[in-house]
Structures are given as structure tokens and as C-alpha cells.
């Protein structure tokens, strides 16, 4: 069974006819070619697929595209302005908060939701928040530093 | 100093694309007219396939083709390393076909390849395939596997034995142990782990009928090796008609070294269906098809004289191979494990026996550190046990037995010749950073809060930069292990480097660019690093065993030497000077003692526009080097873990973790620190959280991220990283390698800390992973009062 879904993705209105079982991440990656959002686990554990839906971070491997009909979706591709990185992206760059880069888009999108609700988080609050994101490369040390640094940059 | 010089913490060039979602991983690639593969896998650990009925599946919507073992007309996936048993007989090497022909041997074994217009259609169709299995007896436990002839994984492998190998003289060492003052003994399990790169494996096979050209995009750490193994041994395709591309790869940690069945399947099937075929693993599929790591059962003895000096070591290990021999599986418990058992110490005599066994489990192969973490774990647990039985402080007993700085080069009794090292200053840095002297006060303070506090020390050495082709060849490697580099200076002076190394998170584009920019005196931005495509780079061996910088970087260094040599000839001609008088300094060719100079761009332009060129000189400025090192490199260090255990719950909190390492010369300290952090996380993960659990029927109970405990941010501390430098003596960069150190030192440091914390209760042994449940049980068993509550 196919359904028609319409939503705003990165500020652009889109409409697509997809199978009803299509997940949001499949719509983003396969139909819209926004391949910055990644799939790492299929069970909502790793967080590589985190995007924002109506301003909140969600795991796009866990929601159906049809559930996001009419929503406003933001992916990693929308954060930088031309060649200028968003302050959170810049903080990951300067703090070596990434290695292979696969979990990174989800980490950045998740971090932004944390900072939106808690502009000045502590280290332990950052570590707690990252409960839903797995990184196998960095040991989290530099990711935590990046998020603290990015939050500081966003406050100023 | 150049702003991107060697030694500076230059931020990474690759980060912009990763941070903006513009990385290109294999699953991000879609080929025109592509179809999708789904692999039906065995639900049984061991069963005979009586029949397979694909008729209903073949008629399902969107299905293009279904292949089973009966259709497979090519070779088996090869093992890359021959190990002989101690009696001289070759290892037992069963065939490994990408599609099972008559029997499945582990949960996840490939039974059928379904190809359809869409992935959901392929999965739907796979559910319609009817396989008639006759279940067979299963063997999971290694000690049971080797104990008798029942439950054979392979009929042709009695006692499920792959090989029975040894190094050292057993009789001599038994005599030394019998005459020793004291003997420390341990029985340990090195728990089976899964690398779990967050990017699942993926492969896209293509065939161009017009040219007869095959292309495979795959998540690999070494595309040339995959091309060689798959082309020459499995599919028997001419190499020049096979291109293997490994684009951005989302982590490897060893698990993407190996040649996997899925790569062969999509390439083999592409001409049959006439369209590109894409396969991407789901995570639960990764758990039962990626090679696992570690998995040893070991008994060890360390004999000491009356002064606490080590006199002999005897190790007996059973190593799990799983159901098939993965690419490098056979060398891991032998040449990458037993040869490291001298550790950092002057133990004069060592014997090691390794029996490799088949079980009905996923194949086991190299995982971050590969053999060295297992060796370090047994050595450092033995050293701590020696400390306990002699009453000599753990730091002091290590210091007493260290190989001293003036003893290098040092020939160990287990084959390796360490070129250089200086272990004492590195340990001193760790001790200072951890405030080792202040520990007892902290332990007393913790005890007042009802907490058990412990500190654990582990020293390690690793053999990196694998390595001299002649040596690995003599040890059974079926390949050379050198590295290649081609340096192309473009007419305007910018540079492209083609390297046989492969990057999957290590930041080679930055580190290698630093080397080039530093040596050629050109802007960092003017250097591009190309890797991962067999059509672009010379034959290279890829990245594993911390070999990229020591071997790959050295190849780049030598190719640049050739560039400078040729450019000097051209510059001398243009400057009308003698070659001997032209020096290359800060990116300028200068006639010594004059102000006559030429930039690299001027020289390269002349090389490509040779209007005024010496007759005997070829135009162009492009050079290539293949570098085969004279020895391994030997990074070493000491890690110290301090932690607290809540005796009511068994929960562990790591209070501090210090890693002090000697990696030789450092090209980019920021990247080195990051590599150490990542390794520590995996090492601590092994000690506290991670481990595969099979039930006796061979079902993998830890088969997803919901069951297999991956370390998360709140499981780990902030790390303290200290570095000391003794440069490698035999490569031009003086570098050693850093990628695996954390995973090698951390398990022993963490477990020694846990046993130290539990020592007041008389607990002297605990298995990894030391989960809260396991620790709680140990505490309850050790304290009758607590158990009675």
C-alpha cells in the first residue's frame, strides 16, 4: 500500500508517494538523497539517524514517514551556511569530536536538542543526554568536550 | 615553522564533509538501475540442508533472481595465513563457500541470496523460501570442542582441531618452573567481542558487459587485498578487470579487513542479473556475519626467583576460530599473540602452546589490537598475581623486571627483536599523573563512604606496522606486507598523494598532508590524499595493526625524497647551477650561498612544460615508492585505572584513567590523543561491559545493541593521556603507531583495579566482563555474612 506524504524538509516543501511501511530515514536517504542521516542499528539504540522533527530530536529509523506528514524536518545538511559551519559543528571540528564521522550527524543533531533545552549543561548532563547515541571511535571524551564547547559558543 | 608542520595538532580536513553530511559511505552510493540483495541466513548453529524450495519466493513481487549453494560455481573464501602444527602438519583448512552447499555451521551462515527490485520485496520473498533442515549436534564451548570426537563441526577435523602450535622449549621451561622460588598462576577467559563499527558493512557489485569490467564498492580497510583474494581465489577474475572501491568507511577496528562472502556474492551475481546489486547489513545481521574478536581460554604460569625476578613463563591457550577460517584468523593467536608474551620484561624463557578449535559460532578474527590485547591481558594478570604472592608492589615488580633502556635492541625468547624502548620514564609519567602515592588515602576515604576503591596498573608492548614481508612470509603469511605511495606534483605545484593505506576514521588526509606540506614547504590545503580505490592507487595493503603511518607514511616519505631528488636536478638546470650546489629549504630550491631561488611550482611547471629541459631527463614530476620495513615498531606504555565499586550493587565507577604511551615521533598530537581515547573505550568495554553470549544451542543471545552492551558516554570517564617519545630506529619518520594501544592496555589495567578493590574480601580472580552482576555475586560468595542477609 502506498501513501502520499508531504512535509517541509530543511525549509523546502516536499511531497512523495511511498509505501506505507517506509520509515522517515528511508524517505530522507532514498527519496530525497539526504544521505547525511545514517542507519547504524535498526533498533533505535545508536542514534546515527537523529534528525529534528518540529524542533525535537527523534530517531528517524523509528518513525514512519507517514507519521511526519505535515511536519517540519531538519537534517544535518541544513546546519551549515555555505562553507560556514554551525557553532556546534565547529566545536566538533576544533575539539576532534569525530573520527570516522558515521555517528557524527546524529551526535550533532542530538547535541543541539540538548542545548536548546539546557543552554549550559554540565559534563555529567552531557554524558547522560548521550545515552541514546553510540560512538565506537572517540571514547566520547572529545564529543563531550565538543558539546560543552559548542553550547558555550551558542550562548555567546 | 610551517603552520601545518609535523608535530602540530592540526584540525582535520576530512571533518567538513563528515560534519555537514557530505561524507560518502558505501550505503550512500546508489548505481543506476540498481537492485537489492537480501541474504537468507541460517537460524540453526549446525544443520544439514535437506532441501531448499524457492518456488514461491521466486514468484513473489519484484523478485529478479534467487541463488542457493547449488548455484554457486566459484571458489571458497580463502584464509590468508598458513599455520603448521608443532608436528609439522599443516593446519586443517576447510572450505568456506559464500553460499552453503549442504550444511550450515553457525547461526547466520549464508543459505540463499535473494535479489529484487526493492529491499522490502527481497525480504518479503526470503520469508517464502522453505529450507528443510536436519539439526545436528552443536558444539559451542571450546574446551568441550577439543575434548573428543563427538559433535564435529568438520568431519575432516578430528577433535575440532585446526592446529596445535607451540613456541619455546616446553621441557626446559617446565624444569625452570619446577626449580623456581615462587610461581604465579592464572586461569583466564579472554571474552569474545564484536568490533561493532557503527557503519554496518555494505557492498555493491557491478558488471559492465561492454568492457567486461567488474566494480565492487565495499566497506573495506584494504581494497587491494579484497581484489586479490576475491579476484584470484574466489571468482577467478582477471585483476585488471576488477575494481574495488572502499570510499568513506564508518569505522573498522579490524572487522573490515577481511574478505567476506557478501562481497563475493554481489560481484558474482552482477553479470547474472545484468544490473548493479546492493547489499547492506542490518545491525542484527552484523552480529552474526561480521568476524568476532578475542575468545581465548588460557592457563598461565609465571615463575620467579627469590628476588622477584621473572625466570620463566608457560602459557597454554585454546583459541576459538568459529566455524570457518576468516582471512587472518589463524595468525592472531600465534604470531600476533605468542610473540608478545615477553611483554616489557626480561623473562628469559617462555613456552606457549596454542590450540585453535572449530566451534559452531561466527568466525573469529583480528579485532583492535589482535593478539596483543590477549597477550597483554595474560601477562599483566600474571604480573599482578606475582605481585600479590610476593608482596612486592605492582609498580616495583614491573620496574624490577622491565627491559632497561640500555638493553635495546632486545631479542626476546619469542622471536621478536625490539628495536628501542624506555619503559621506566613512561611508567613514571603514569604514576605521577595518577597520584599513585596518594592512593591508600583515597582508598581509606572511600571505605568510610562504604565504597571499595581499587587501583590497577598494566604495562604493555605491541608489535605494530605489520610488517617485514620476508618475516611474515617465513611465518606463513600468504601476502607481502609493505605499503605503496605515489606522489604527483601537478604543474602548478599542488600535490596529490595516492596511498595504499586506507582511512576509516584515523584522519590520514590530515596527517599525511602534514607530512607532505612540511617536507615540501607547500600549503597544507594544496595537498590531497587519495586512498581506497584500486583503479587509482598502486597495489597497497591497507590499514590495520597500526601500520598506516609507520609503513604507509614511510612510503610517502620515501616518494617525496624521490620528488625532491628529481626536482633538484630540474632546478639546477633552470638555475644554471651544479646539482650539488642546489639545496631545498622551506619549499625553495636555492643555489647555496646565493639569492637565486626557485619555488616548487616553478620547477613543476618546467617539468610539465619542458621547453627548456635537459635531454636526459624525463618530463613530469611524479614518483612512487614501495616501502617494506626492516622490523615491526614497538609502542609501549603503562595504563593506570582507579575505580570504585559499590558493594551493595556491584556497580563500577571509573574515577580516573591514565594512559602513558610511547608512540615514537608524533605527527599530530590531537589525532593521537583521539586514537588513544577510542582504544581505551574499547578496552574498558571489554573489561566491564562487552561480551558475546551463546547458549548451548548456538544461538547468539547478545545479537543486537539491545543485548550486547556497547560503552556509552556515561560508562566512561574523561581520560588523562601522557606521552613520551623514543623514536623508532628503522623508519624514516621515527613513528611507531598508536591506534590499538588503548584496547591493549585498558582491559588488564581495569581488571587489576577491580581485583585490587576486591582484595580486602579475598577475591583474587574475576572474569571479564566484570559486570555489576558478576561482581555482586563474587562479593556475596566471598563474604558469608553478606550472603546470609
Amino acid at each position: 500500500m502506498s501513501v502520499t506524504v508531504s512535509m517541509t524538509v530543511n525549509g523546502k516543501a516536499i511531497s512523495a508517494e511511498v509505501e506505507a511501511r517506509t520509515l522517515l530515514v528511508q524517505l530522507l536517504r532514498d527519496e530525497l538523497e539526504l544521505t547525511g542521516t545514517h542507519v547504524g542499528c535498526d533498533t533505535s539504540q545508536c542514534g546515527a539517524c537523529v534528525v529534528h522533527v518540529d524542533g525535537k530530536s527523534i530517531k528517524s529509523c523509528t518513525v514512519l514517514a507517514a507519521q511526519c506528514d505535515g511536519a517540519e524536518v531538519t537534517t544535518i545538511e541544513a546546519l551549515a551556511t555555505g562553507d560556514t559551519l554551525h557553532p556546534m559543528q565547529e566545536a566538533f571540528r576544533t575539539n576532534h569530536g569525530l573520527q570516522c564521522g558515521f555517528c557524527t550527524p546524529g551526535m550533532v543533531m542530538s547535541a543541539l536538542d540538548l542545548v536548546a533545552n539546557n543552554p549550559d549543561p554540565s559534563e555529567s548532563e552531557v554524558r547522560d543526554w548521550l545515552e541514546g547515541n553510540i560512538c565506537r571511535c572517540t571514547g566520547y571524551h572529545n564529543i563531550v568536550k565538543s558539546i560543552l564547547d559548542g553550547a558555550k559558543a551558542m550562548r555567546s | 615553522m610551517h603552520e601545518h608542520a609535523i608535530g602540530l595538532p592540526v584540525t582535520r580536513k576530512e571533518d567538513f564533509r563528515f560534519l555537514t553530511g557530505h561524507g560518502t559511505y558505501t550505503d550512500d552510493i546508489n548505481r543506476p538501475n540498481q537492485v537489492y540483495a537480501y541474504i537468507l541466513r541460517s537460524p540453526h548453529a549446525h544443520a544439514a540442508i535437506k532441501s531448499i524450495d524457492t518456488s514461491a519466493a521466486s514468484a513473489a513481487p519484484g523478485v529478479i533472481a534467487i541463488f542457493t549453494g547449488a548455484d554457486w560455481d566459484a571458489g571458497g573464501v580463502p584464509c590468508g595465513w598458513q599455520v603448521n602444527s608443532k608436528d609439522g602438519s599443516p593446519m586443517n583448512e576447510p572450505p568456506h563457500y559464500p553460499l552453503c552447499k549442504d550444511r550450515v555451521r553457525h547461526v547466520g551462515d549464508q543459505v540463499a541470496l535473494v535479489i529484487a527490485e526493492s529491499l522490502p520485496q527481497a525480504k518479503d520473498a526470503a520469508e517464502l523460501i522453505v529450507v528443510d533442515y536436519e539439526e545436528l549436534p552443536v558444539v559451542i564451548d571450546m574446551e568441550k570442542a577439543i575434548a573428543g570426537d563427538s559433535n564435529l563441526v568438520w568431519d575432516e577435523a578430528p577433535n575440532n582441531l585446526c592446529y596445535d602450535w607451540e613456541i619455546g622449549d616446553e621441557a626446559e621451561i617446565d624444569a625452570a618452573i619446577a626449580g623456581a622460588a615462587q610461581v604465579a598462576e592464572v586461569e583466564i577467559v579472554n571474552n569474545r567481542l564484536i568490533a561493532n563499527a557503527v557503519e554496518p558493512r555494505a557492498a555493491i557489485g557491478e558488471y559492465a558487459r561492454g568492457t567486461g569490467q567488474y566494480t565492487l564498492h565495499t566497506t573495506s580497510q584494504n581494497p587491494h587485498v579484497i581484489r586479490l583474494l576475491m579476484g584470484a581465489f574466489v571468482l577467478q577474475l582477471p585483476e585488471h578487470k576488477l575494481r574495488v572501491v572502499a570510499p568513506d568507511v564508518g569505522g573498522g577496528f579490524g572487522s573490515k579487513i577481511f574478505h567476506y562472502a557478501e562481497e563475493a556474492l554481489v560481484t558474482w551475481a552482477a553479470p547474472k542479473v545484468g544490473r548493479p546489486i546492493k547489499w547492506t547489513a542490518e545491525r542484527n545481521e552484523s552480529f552474526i556475519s561480521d568476524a568476532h574478536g578475542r575468545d581465548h581460554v588460557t592457563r598461565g604460569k609465571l615463575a620467579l626467583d627469590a628476588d622477584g625476578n621473572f625466570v620463566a613463563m608457560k602459557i597454554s591457550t585454546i583459541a576459538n576460530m568459529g566455524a570457518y577460517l576468516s582471512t587472518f584468523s589463524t595468525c592472531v593467536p600465534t604470531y600476533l599473540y605468542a610473540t608478545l608474551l615477553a611483554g616489557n620484561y626480561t623473562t628469559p624463557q617462555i613456552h606457549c602452546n596454542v590450540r585453535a578449535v572449530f566451534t559452531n559460532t561466527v568466525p573469529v578474527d583480528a579485532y583492535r589490537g589482535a593478539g596483543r590485547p590477549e597477550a597483554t591481558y595474560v601477562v599483566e594478570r600474571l604480573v599482578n598475581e606475582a605481585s600479590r604472592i610476593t608482596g612486592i608492589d605492582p609498580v616495583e615488580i614491573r620496574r624490577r623486571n622491565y627491559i632497561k633502556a640500555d638493553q635495546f635492541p632486545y631479542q626476546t625468547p619469542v622471536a621478536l627483536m625490539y628495536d628501542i624502548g624506555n619503559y621506566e620514564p613512561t611508567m613514571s609519567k603514569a604514576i605521577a599523573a595518577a597520584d599513585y602515592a596518594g592512593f591508600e588515602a583515597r582508598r581509606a576515604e572511600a571505605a568510610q563512604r562504604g565504597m571499595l576503591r581499587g587501583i590497577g596498573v598494566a604495562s604493555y608492548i605491541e608489535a605494530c606496522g605489520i610488517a617485514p614481508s620476508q618475516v611474515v612470509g617465513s611465518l606463513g603469511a600468504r601476502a607481502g606486507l609493505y605499503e605503496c605511495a605515489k606522489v604527483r606534483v601537478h604543474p602548478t605545484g599542488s600535490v596529490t598523494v595516492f596511498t595504499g593505506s586506507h582511512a576509516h576514521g584515523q584522519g590520514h588526509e590530515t596527517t599525511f598532508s602534514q607530512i607532505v606540506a612540511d617536507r615540501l614547504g607547500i600549503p597544507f590545503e594544496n595537498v590531497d590524499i587519495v586512498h581506497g580505490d584500486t583503479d587509482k592507487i598502486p597495489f597497497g595493503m591497507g590499514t590495520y595493526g597500526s601500520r598506516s603511518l609507520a609503513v604507509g607514511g614511510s612510503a610517502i616519505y620515501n616518494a617525496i625524497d624521490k620528488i625532491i631528488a628529481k626536482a633538484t636536478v630540474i632546478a639546477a638546470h633552470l638555475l644554471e647551477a651544479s646539482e650539488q650546489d642546489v639545496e631545498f629549504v622551506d619549499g625553495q630550491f636555492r643555489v647555496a650561498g646565493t639569492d637565486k631561488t626557485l619555488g616548487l611550482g616553478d620547477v613543476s611547471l618546467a617539468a610539465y612544460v619542458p621547453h627548456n629541459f635537459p635531454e636526459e631527463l624525463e618530463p613530469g614530476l611524479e614518483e612512487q615508492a614501495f616501502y617494506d620495513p626492516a622490523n615491526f615498531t614497538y609502542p609501549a606504555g603503562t595504563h593506570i585505572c582507579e575505580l570504585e565499586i559499590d558493594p551493595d550493587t556491584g556497580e563500577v565507577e571509573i574515577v580516573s584513567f591514565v594512559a602513558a604511551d610511547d608512540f615514537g615521533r608524533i605527527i599530530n598530537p590531537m589525532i593521537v590523543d583521539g586514537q588513544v581515547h577510542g582504544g581505551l573505550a574499547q578496552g574498558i568495554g571489554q573489561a566491564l561491559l562487552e561480551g558475546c553470549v551463546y547458549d548451548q544451542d548456538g544461538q547468539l543471545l547478545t545479537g543486537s545493541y539491545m543485548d550486547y552492551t556497547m560503552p556509552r558516554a556515561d560508562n566512561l570517564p574523561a581520560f588523562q593521556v601522557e606521552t613520551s617519545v623514543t623514536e623508532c630506529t628503522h623508519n624514516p619518520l621515527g613513528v611507531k603507531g598508536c591506534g590499538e594501544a588503548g584496547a591493549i592496555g585498558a582491559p588488564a589495567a581495569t581488571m587489576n583495579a577491580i581485583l585490587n578493590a576486591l582484595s580486602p574480601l579475598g577475591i583474587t580472580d574475576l572474569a571479564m566482563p566484570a559486570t555489576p552482576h558478576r561482581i555482586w555475586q563474587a562479593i556475596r560468595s566471598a563474604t558469608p555474612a553478606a550472603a546470609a542477609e
Side-chain angles (χ1 to χ4, degrees):
Chain A
M1 189 183 81
S2 62
V3 295
T4 302
V5 293
S6 303
M7 61 189 81
T8 306
V9 178
N10 298 337
K12 202 170 125 191
I14 66 102
S15 191
E17 193 173 329
V18 296
E19 277 198 71
R21 60 181 163 179
T22 302
L23 299 166
L24 176 60
V25 68
Q26 294 169 328
L27 174 72
L28 293 172
R29 287 181 56 79
D30 301 341
E31 303 290 326
L32 306 179
E33 296 181 349
L34 294 168
T35 54
T37 301
H38 299 142
V39 179
C41 69
D42 311 298
T43 52
S44 299
Q45 310 295 304
C46 81
C49 68
V50 170
V51 300
H52 292 179
V53 174
D54 294 331
K56 280 196 161 52
S57 63
I58 61 108
K59 291 180 174 173
S60 59
C61 76
T62 309
V63 293
L64 296 168
Q67 288 174 280
C68 300
D69 197 41
E72 191 136 335
V73 177
T74 307
T75 71
I76 191 71
E77 284 89 349
L79 293 193
T81 309
D83 289 343
T84 306
L85 295 174
H86 183 283
M88 186 59 78
Q89 291 170 309
E90 184 62 31
F92 270 73
R93 196 179 73 81
T94 53
N95 289 287
H96 190 31
L98 64 153
Q99 290 182 24
C100 80
F102 194 79
C103 74
T104 309
M107 286 283 178
V108 171
M109 298 309 283
S110 187
L112 288 175
D113 195 11
L114 165 68
V115 174
N117 292 294
N118 183 357
D120 189 9
S122 68
E123 179 183 331
S124 69
E125 284 173 327
V126 171
R127 287 185 182 272
D128 282 348
W129 178 262
L130 292 179
E131 178 66 25
N133 293 77
I134 291 173
C135 171
R136 193 56 156 168
C137 294
T138 64
Y140 304 99
H141 180 108
N142 285 342
I143 290 176
V144 173
K145 265 174 71 183
S146 301
I147 294 173
L148 292 170
D149 202 34
K152 189 173 164 196
M154 288 169 69
R155 288 196 300 277
S156 60
Chain B
M1 194 188 199
H2 199 285
E3 66 176 319
H4 297 107
I6 287 173
L8 295 181
V10 177
T11 52
R12 301 199 319 171
K13 1 173 104 171
E14 41 275 86
D15 287 356
F16 183 83
R17 72 173 185 273
F18 293 148
L19 280 162
T20 54
H22 291 106
T24 305
Y25 303 90
T26 300
D27 189 58
D28 297 342
I29 296 167
N30 291 298
R31 305 298 297 154
N33 208 25
Q34 154 185 302
V35 294
Y36 296 82
Y38 180 78
I39 294 165
L40 181 70
R41 295 180 182 278
S42 169
H44 302 295
H46 198 189
I49 299 173
K50 309 295 283 183
S51 64
I52 305 179
D53 181 357
T54 59
S55 54
S58 296
V63 171
I64 293 161
I66 296 177
F67 300 103
T68 67
D71 303 306
W72 183 257
D73 53 8
V77 177
C79 176
W81 206 293
Q82 170 73 46
V83 175
N84 292 338
S85 285
K86 55 191 176 192
D87 65 5
S89 59
M91 66 187 189
N92 218 321
E93 188 176 5
H96 184 191
Y97 295 109
L99 290 171
C100 295
K101 292 212 175 267
D102 53 3
R103 231 158 109 177
V104 292
R105 289 183 165 85
H106 67 86
V107 168
D109 220 350
Q110 299 83 218
V111 174
L113 173 69
V114 183
I115 297 165
E117 294 286 348
S118 76
L119 182 58
Q121 287 173 326
K123 290 168 77 169
D124 289 348
E127 288 193 12
L128 301 174
I129 297 176
V130 180
V131 186
D132 183 9
Y133 292 106
E134 181 189 328
E135 289 190 58
L136 297 170
V138 170
V139 62
I140 300 299
D141 182 281
M142 276 185 274
E143 291 183 300
K144 284 184 188 158
I146 211 164
D149 268 349
S150 60
N151 297 10
L152 291 183
V153 180
W154 294 95
D155 296 336
E156 56 270 45
N159 299 318
N160 292 304
L161 192 69
C162 175
Y163 56 73
D164 182 352
W165 177 94
E166 72 175 352
I167 189 168
D169 187 321
E170 186 171 19
E172 262 181 36
I173 281 139
D174 282 344
I177 290 172
Q182 296 196 75
V183 181
E185 293 188 49
V186 295
E187 287 188 26
I188 55 179
V189 172
N190 205 293
N191 39 326
R192 178 185 277 237
L193 304 176
I194 301 186
N196 270 317
V198 180
E199 179 209 30
R201 286 190 299 115
I204 307 169
E206 288 179 81
Y207 178 68
R209 197 162 302 281
T211 58
Q213 176 81 30
Y214 290 82
T215 303
L216 170 69
H217 284 83
T218 182
T219 46
S220 171
Q221 298 178 212
N222 45 359
H224 269 293
V225 176
I226 303 306
R227 187 182 75 168
L228 175 65
L229 293 175
M230 186 177 78
F233 297 102
V234 188
L235 302 183
Q236 287 149 32
L237 304 173
E239 271 187 296
H240 69 294
K241 291 294 186 189
L242 175 57
R243 175 185 178 199
V244 177
V245 187
D248 288 328
V249 172
F253 318 112
S255 68
K256 293 171 183 169
I257 300 173
F258 323 121
H259 175 35
Y260 285 100
E262 296 86 355
E263 294 164 331
L265 284 172
V266 295
T267 309
W268 171 80
K272 294 180 166 39
V273 301
R275 292 168 69 177
I277 302 170
K278 181 177 191 172
W279 169 81
T280 305
E282 297 182 351
R283 180 56 57 182
N284 64 353
E285 208 174 358
S286 303
F287 272 88
I288 51 173
S289 68
D290 292 3
H292 294 180
R294 316 280 192 257
D295 212 359
H296 285 195
V297 175
T298 301
R299 290 180 169 80
K301 290 182 184 177
L302 175 61
L304 299 97
D305 67 17
D307 297 324
N309 298 309
F310 305 161
V311 295
M313 179 183 282
K314 184 174 184 182
I315 306 293
S316 173
T317 286
I318 309 174
N320 205 338
M321 296 287 102
Y324 302 95
L325 298 182
S326 176
T327 311
F328 286 117
S329 56
T330 47
C331 77
V332 176
T334 49
Y335 303 113
L336 297 180
Y337 168 75
T339 57
L340 263 291
L341 289 169
N344 311 54
Y345 310 109
T346 53
T347 315
Q349 301 191 84
I350 297 173
H351 176 262
C352 180
N353 173 235
V354 179
R355 288 172 293 167
V357 300
F358 296 109
T359 58
N360 293 114
T361 62
V362 172
V364 178
D365 208 326
Y367 163 57
R368 202 171 194 165
R372 294 80 131 196
E374 297 92 314
T376 299
Y377 187 60
V378 66
V379 170
E380 293 298 303
R381 282 286 306 276
L382 275 170
V383 171
N384 253 40
E385 181 61 11
S387 157
R388 190 182 73 81
I389 63 173
T390 58
I392 304 170
D393 180 83
V395 166
E396 172 54 27
I397 201 168
R398 286 179 169 82
R399 183 181 284 132
R400 195 173 295 182
N401 287 283
Y402 268 172
I403 303 162
K404 306 296 184 291
D406 60 5
Q407 291 178 282
F408 293 95
Y410 185 84
Q411 176 64 56
T412 75
V414 275
L416 298 180
M417 167 86 85
Y418 301 163
D419 66 325
I420 194 169
N422 192 2
Y423 307 142
E424 163 63 33
T426 314
M427 182 161 73
S428 293
K429 282 189 177 183
I431 290 166
D435 184 22
Y436 190 77
F439 171 71
E440 285 304 331
R442 295 193 295 278
R443 188 203 286 262
E445 184 279 328
Q448 286 187 340
R449 288 183 280 112
M451 303 296 273
L452 297 163
R453 196 165 174 119
I455 195 162
V457 180
S459 296
Y460 73 91
I461 187 164
E462 59 171 323
C464 288
I466 181 170
S469 294
Q470 203 175 355
V471 173
V472 298
S474 71
L475 298 176
R478 289 163 169 168
L481 284 169
Y482 46 83
E483 200 45 271
C484 72
K486 185 194 285 185
V487 174
R488 179 177 297 162
V489 183
H490 300 288
T492 55
S494 61
V495 170
T496 303
V497 175
F498 302 85
T499 170
S501 296
H502 184 274
H504 28 281
Q506 299 93 335
H508 294 171
E509 289 167 42
T510 302
T511 315
F512 291 171
S513 292
Q514 279 179 261
I515 295 171
V516 177
D518 187 293
R519 292 201 69 217
L520 290 180
I522 60 172
F524 176 79
E525 296 75 18
N526 289 3
V527 184
D528 262 353
I529 307 294
V530 175
H531 67 89
D533 184 339
T534 58
D535 264 13
K536 293 182 178 169
I537 56 175
F539 195 98
M541 299 305 294
T543 285
Y544 38 85
S546 294
R547 69 192 302 277
S548 293
L549 197 55
V551 191
S554 295
I556 294 172
Y557 189 97
N558 287 355
I560 294 172
D561 265 357
K562 294 184 183 178
I563 290 284
I564 293 171
K566 181 172 182 186
T568 301
V569 176
I570 301 169
H573 175 74
L574 297 174
L575 291 164
E576 298 178 333
S578 123
E579 284 166 36
Q580 289 72 33
D581 292 340
V582 174
E583 54 192 16
F584 182 60
V585 180
D586 295 335
Q588 299 285 316
F589 293 90
R590 184 171 59 202
V591 182
T594 74
D595 59 358
K596 288 171 71 176
T597 63
L598 276 179
L600 181 67
D602 300 315
V603 174
S604 59
L605 190 60
Y608 288 100
V609 189
H611 295 168
N612 169 19
F613 219 60
E615 263 181 30
E616 65 277 12
L617 200 60
E618 283 181 31
L621 193 51
E622 175 169 318
E623 297 289 347
Q624 183 167 298
F626 282 78
Y627 176 77
D628 201 338
N631 194 352
F632 298 93
T633 67
Y634 297 99
T638 294
H639 293 179
I640 300 182
C641 177
E642 187 166 334
L643 47 76
E644 283 189 3
I645 296 172
D646 182 337
D648 293 332
T649 62
E651 268 192 87
V652 175
E653 185 194 352
I654 295 180
V655 182
S656 83
F657 201 107
V658 176
D661 305 290
D662 180 350
F663 299 133
R665 190 180 185 197
I666 303 291
I667 306 296
N668 185 322
M670 178 194 80
I671 287 175
V672 167
D673 284 359
Q675 291 292 304
V676 173
H677 297 163
L680 292 176
Q682 292 181 4
I684 293 169
Q686 173 167 26
L688 298 182
L689 304 166
E690 298 182 45
C692 285
V693 180
Y694 276 96
D695 71 12
Q696 287 308 306
D697 295 327
Q699 294 295 326
L700 180 61
L701 301 182
T702 45
S704 77
Y705 282 163
M706 291 188 287
D707 315 298
Y708 181 97
T709 317
M710 289 284 280
R712 292 174 190 270
D714 58 355
N715 298 126
L716 296 169
F719 304 113
Q720 299 179 69
V721 176
E722 302 283 334
T723 312
S724 53
V725 177
T726 55
E727 293 193 4
C728 174
T729 59
H730 56 80
N731 67 49
L733 286 162
V735 299
K736 293 179 181 173
C738 64
E740 300 166 304
I744 295 172
T750 306
M751 290 307 293
N752 284 343
I754 286 177
L755 291 171
N756 180 249
L758 298 176
S759 61
L761 307 177
I763 295 167
T764 57
D765 184 31
L766 196 72
M768 296 191 291
T771 56
H773 182 236
R774 215 167 241 173
I775 292 174
W776 183 84
Q777 280 182 322
I779 292 172
R780 303 281 287 183
S781 312
T783 52
E789 270 175 23

